[in-house]
Amino acid sequence: TLSLHDARPILAIEHLQLYKMSFASVKSINPDLIEKVGESLSAITELWNEHKSFSLFLSFFRINLYFQQILGNYAKALEGCQMATDYFKDHPHLVTNNRLIEIALHKNLCYLYLRQYKEGIDNIKESLPLLQEGSSGWFDFMEEYFLLNFQGGSKEEANQVYNSVVNHISFTTLPAHRKETW
């Protein structure tokens, strides 16, 4: 039988899914949720330090990112992204485009909040080749690309991004709320 101690990695992943749903469904973060995420981060950190498995690393990375973001600590979240990038450099057999895109999306958000527009734009330019043009992820990146350019003062570049999105053939297939964003 599986002991409670052995089930901790499964519980950590389950908690991560619950946190993601909680963040998506509310405008403000409940202090109890912050405490629970902090507890889960401590538990997963301890487990990862003991076992160093890939699934524990991914759980640690993701829970840490959510925790730092709900605290508004985008510099620490960016450090977590760098840790993940370094991890994948040391473990190239575990790298997939989706994992690199996940890291890049978090970095984009951090750069936007930290007002590091040039770094964010550079990150997007480096990451765009990983995406299929017209895919959902491509639209996510283009939205951040637009915001980084606009906020960074590159209005002409922001306008080019806008035009490439709204004139893309896949734009018509987006859900109404995503079209409305543009």
Side-chain angles (χ1 to χ4, degrees), residues 133-145:
E133 189 175 312
S135 67
S136 180
W138 181 81
F139 282 107
D140 291 339
F141 266 77
M142 296 305 277
E143 184 176 337
E144 292 173 349
Y145 195 20

Side-chain angles (χ1 to χ4, degrees), residues 96-162:
T96 65
N97 277 359
N98 286 343
R99 290 182 182 133
L100 295 175
I101 290 166
E102 177 183 4
I103 294 167
L105 276 168
H106 284 289
K107 286 170 80 172
N108 294 343
L109 178 71
C110 292
Y111 287 133
L112 190 59
Y113 277 104
L114 292 170
R115 298 180 180 185
Q116 296 176 354
Y117 306 120
K118 182 190 178 320
E119 293 85 347
I121 290 166
D122 291 345
N123 183 59
I124 287 176
K125 286 180 179 178
E126 182 180 309
S127 303
L128 275 175
L130 301 172
L131 296 156
Q132 180 180 347
E133 189 175 312
S135 67
S136 180
W138 181 81
F139 282 107
D140 291 339
F141 266 77
M142 296 305 277
E143 184 176 337
E144 292 173 349
Y145 195 20
F146 172 82
L147 291 171
L148 286 160
N149 276 297
F150 189 82
Q151 293 295 326
S154 302
K155 306 291 191 258
E156 226 174 270
E157 184 70 25
N159 190 46
Q160 288 175 1
V161 171
Y162 172 82

Side-chain angles (χ1 to χ4, degrees), residues 14-26 33 66:
E14 180 181 330
H15 284 265
L16 176 62
Q17 296 306 318
L18 290 171
Y19 302 147
K20 287 167 114 176
M21 288 186 290
S22 296
F23 297 142
S25 64
V26 296
L33 182 62
Y66 284 107

